[in-house]
Amino acid sequence: MEWTKYVLSLMLGGCLWLLFGRKGSGSGKWFIGAGAGIGLSAMELVVVYIWDSGAWMMLYAILKGLAFFSGIVLLGYMWEWIGSAGRNKDAKEQEVLHPVRQWMDDYQESFAQLSRSFCMAPQAAGEWSRGDRIMQTRLAESRMAAAEQLQEMSQILVGAMERIYGTREDESLEQEVGDRLRLLGIQVTKVFFYGPQGKKRQVYITMRTKRKICVPVKKIAAVLSELMNGEMMPARDSRSFVGQERVTVLFVEGTAYNVLYGVKKVVRQNEAVSGDNFSVFWLPDGRFYAGLSDGMGSGVQACTQSELVLDLLEQFLEAGFSKETALRMINSSIVLQPDAPVFSTVDIASVDLYTGICEFLKIGAAASFLRRENGVECISGSGLPAGVSNELCLEPYRVRMYDGNLLFLVTDGVISVLPQGQEEALLKEMIMGLGSGTPAEMAERLMEQVQVYGEAADDMTILVVGIWKR
């Protein structure tokens, strides 16, 4: 009967799907359609051959099989579309009703409301004495600093919630990675994928070797790159080998640029310790951070304060906080100190190693300089050092860096040595005439040229950062 040919053709397509198809890959409709179409054409051609029909009947049989194949594939796409719409609807409903997310929203709103209550100014009670006014001013500053802290806590909760919901298990990727790494002697326990819209992909793989062998992480990155159709690399400072101990390794998308840096410091006359400190570090999201902090004054106290500022900044950024959030929290902690605070300047440059875009945040810091092929650009900031006021002026400045560009971060001591009114022009001229070399060599040469104008009346630090195409 006619319908038996269609049933047998579909059964053949189903067998092909079971033998060669992969769950979740979306290839099932193609295997079923191909098997059913070829099977139907073959049976039709056999019937035509037995009945000794003409060539046009053979062509009709082939076209009939192609039509059957196309119809099944189209039905498969329609089924996937209907299923995906239902899944999206269910996901949205689940997202809205999820109790953990609801609790996080409630906590965030509670912190925000508490922050607003701290901002309410107290009513004046008649005439205040000078001492009362000073005390009330100090109390108001403390309340505003506490309000800033609470407001930042609410934003931290929002960021944590986005990170939690953006990281998910990927069963299909886990199966593919497990199958490929099994050939290298690696057993994969779990794979987590993080890749919200507009952000670079990150993959966490928990694994161990089956035998007493060590497998280079770069080999695993090469396998992952092939599976994900894009270069993946182990995150900086991750382990180099995987052994029998179960470990979790983070893999990120390969960056477009590499970074080198160099630093040169000179201590103020008659001082044993510099009040300037610097910090450089990389984050998994492909950002490189370079920071300078100049503690007001000199000596051990200034060094301790600037070091503390940079340590806190690095910890906050590595924990996932934004630059603005980290700086506000650090500033609030200095303002709330019971003793007289020691102020510090903060100079941060963050370079996106995927795009080359560099963002500056300056809090009372000296100007920075960007050397390109055809000239030197000066980046100036404004505002008071951290700890002077509970309100910070955070106005980021963005520039695009290209292959071979060099960034020069300097402290006030470098500027103060040069003739007044000519500082920026002279530094531009010096930087442009440095020639070629590594960032460390550049920092050394520039410091030598600056010292020609006089001895160090303040601590001097020059941090040079260069980016190059990979």
Side-chain angles (χ1 to χ4, degrees):
M1 296 178 67
E2 186 71 18
W3 62 270
T4 57
K5 292 186 289 186
Y6 292 95
V7 174
L8 291 173
S9 300
L10 289 172
M11 289 176 63
L12 176 61
C15 290
L16 287 177
W17 178 37
L18 292 174
L19 289 173
F20 303 106
R22 180 171 290 173
K23 184 179 178 181
S25 63
S27 60
K29 55 185 176 295
W30 291 97
F31 281 111
I32 295 176
I38 294 171
L40 182 60
S41 296
M43 286 185 282
E44 290 285 348
L45 287 172
V46 169
V47 172
V48 169
Y49 178 76
I50 292 174
W51 289 100
D52 196 19
S53 301
W56 67 272
M57 287 297 294
M58 293 185 180
L59 179 61
Y60 172 73
I62 294 173
L63 292 175
K64 193 173 182 181
L66 287 173
F68 195 36
F69 161 72
S70 302
I72 291 175
V73 173
L74 287 174
L75 285 173
Y77 274 114
M78 290 179 63
W79 180 260
E80 286 183 356
W81 179 74
I82 294 172
S84 64
R87 284 193 299 271
N88 290 338
K89 183 178 179 181
D90 293 340
K92 288 180 180 178
E93 290 178 355
Q94 183 180 7
E95 184 178 0
V96 171
L97 299 176
H98 200 291
V100 175
R101 187 153 195 170
Q102 184 63 48
W103 294 337
M104 295 285 278
D105 286 338
D106 292 342
Y107 293 152
Q108 187 267 338
E109 180 57 32
S110 298
F111 277 113
Q113 182 62 36
L114 191 58
S115 172
R116 288 191 289 269
S117 69
F118 269 83
C119 293
M120 297 174 63
Q123 298 294 326
E127 291 294 330
W128 281 341
S129 65
R130 183 174 179 275
D132 291 337
R133 285 197 300 271
I134 293 175
M135 184 184 68
Q136 289 297 329
T137 301
R138 182 63 178 171
L139 180 61
E141 290 178 353
S142 299
R143 289 171 61 90
M144 291 300 296
E148 287 281 346
Q149 292 273 23
L150 291 170
Q151 184 63 34
E152 295 304 327
M153 282 298 299
S154 70
Q155 296 303 315
I156 289 168
L157 287 174
V158 172
M161 182 172 59
E162 291 176 354
R163 185 76 185 188
I164 291 171
Y165 280 87
T167 304
R168 57 180 174 81
E169 295 184 37
D170 195 320
E171 294 181 358
S172 61
L173 182 61
E174 182 178 323
Q175 181 181 353
E176 292 177 349
V177 172
D179 292 341
R180 293 290 298 274
L181 295 186
R182 195 175 293 116
L183 301 176
L184 299 177
I186 296 175
Q187 179 182 1
V188 175
T189 304
K190 190 66 66 177
V191 174
F192 289 96
F193 179 81
Y194 176 74
Q197 187 175 4
K199 295 187 178 181
K200 299 297 181 180
R201 296 174 296 177
Q202 298 180 10
V203 179
Y204 297 83
I205 303 180
T206 303
M207 53 192 163
R208 59 182 290 270
T209 57
K210 298 179 182 178
R211 300 178 295 277
K212 293 182 179 180
I213 59 173
C214 289
V215 179
V217 173
K218 288 186 177 180
K219 271 191 175 182
I220 302 170
V223 172
L224 194 60
S225 300
E226 185 178 343
L227 291 175
M228 299 189 68
N229 297 319
E231 183 189 4
M232 301 295 292
M233 56 187 286
R236 192 176 182 87
D237 298 329
S238 65
R239 60 193 305 133
S240 301
F241 294 90
V242 174
Q244 285 190 298
E245 179 187 358
R246 182 177 297 172
V247 295
T248 299
V249 181
L250 169 62
F251 295 89
V252 298
E253 290 192 40
T255 58
Y257 295 94
N258 274 335
V259 175
L260 288 176
Y261 70 91
V263 66
K264 178 63 178 177
K265 300 178 71 175
V266 173
V267 182
R268 179 181 177 178
Q269 287 181 328
N270 303 321
E271 289 288 353
V273 179
S274 172
D276 298 343
N277 275 290
F278 76 96
S279 176
V280 290
F281 54 96
W282 288 257
L283 293 186
D285 62 357
R287 286 191 174 272
F288 169 81
Y289 285 86
L292 282 180
S293 181
D294 179 5
M296 295 294 97
S298 60
V300 175
Q301 188 179 21
C303 176
T304 302
Q305 184 65 25
S306 62
E307 185 179 20
L308 176 63
V309 167
L310 290 178
D311 285 345
L312 288 172
L313 179 65
E314 186 171 344
Q315 289 177 20
F316 281 134
L317 292 176
E318 288 179 344
F321 301 150
S322 67
K323 298 184 295 296
E324 293 80 6
T325 297
L327 288 173
R328 287 194 181 97
M329 294 186 71
I330 293 170
N331 183 70
S332 297
S333 68
I334 298 174
V335 170
L336 290 174
Q337 287 180 3
D339 302 327
V342 178
F343 310 129
S344 297
T345 66
V346 184
D347 195 358
I348 306 174
S350 65
V351 184
D352 188 331
L353 299 180
Y354 293 104
T355 63
I357 294 175
C358 181
E359 186 174 284
F360 296 88
L361 274 177
K362 292 180 173 292
I363 304 176
S368 301
F369 301 86
L370 177 61
R371 191 179 93 165
R372 305 185 187 275
E373 291 183 1
N374 55 354
V376 178
E377 181 180 352
C378 179
I379 298 102
S380 300
S382 60
L384 299 172
V388 174
S389 172
N390 61 288
E391 294 184 2
L392 285 181
C393 179
L394 297 178
E395 297 179 357
Y397 181 81
R398 295 178 180 87
V399 295
R400 178 71 180 269
M401 294 182 69
Y402 298 93
D403 182 35
N405 287 177
L406 291 166
L407 177 63
F408 293 77
L409 302 179
V410 301
T411 56
D412 289 334
V414 176
I415 302 291
S416 63
V417 171
L418 302 176
Q420 190 173 4
Q422 305 177 37
E423 300 95 333
E424 293 182 2
L426 280 172
L427 274 174
K428 283 184 178 181
E429 184 179 344
M430 292 179 192
I431 291 171
M432 198 62 197
L434 287 176
S436 59
T438 65
E441 294 170 346
M442 296 282 192
E444 182 82 29
R445 290 181 208 158
L446 183 58
M447 184 66 78
E448 290 175 356
Q449 294 185 27
V450 169
Q451 287 183 296
V452 172
Y453 288 87
E455 294 294 333
D458 192 4
D459 301 314
M460 297 193 295
T461 302
I462 299 175
L463 176 60
V464 182
V465 176
I467 68 170
W468 286 269
K469 278 280 190 181
R470 294 181 64 226

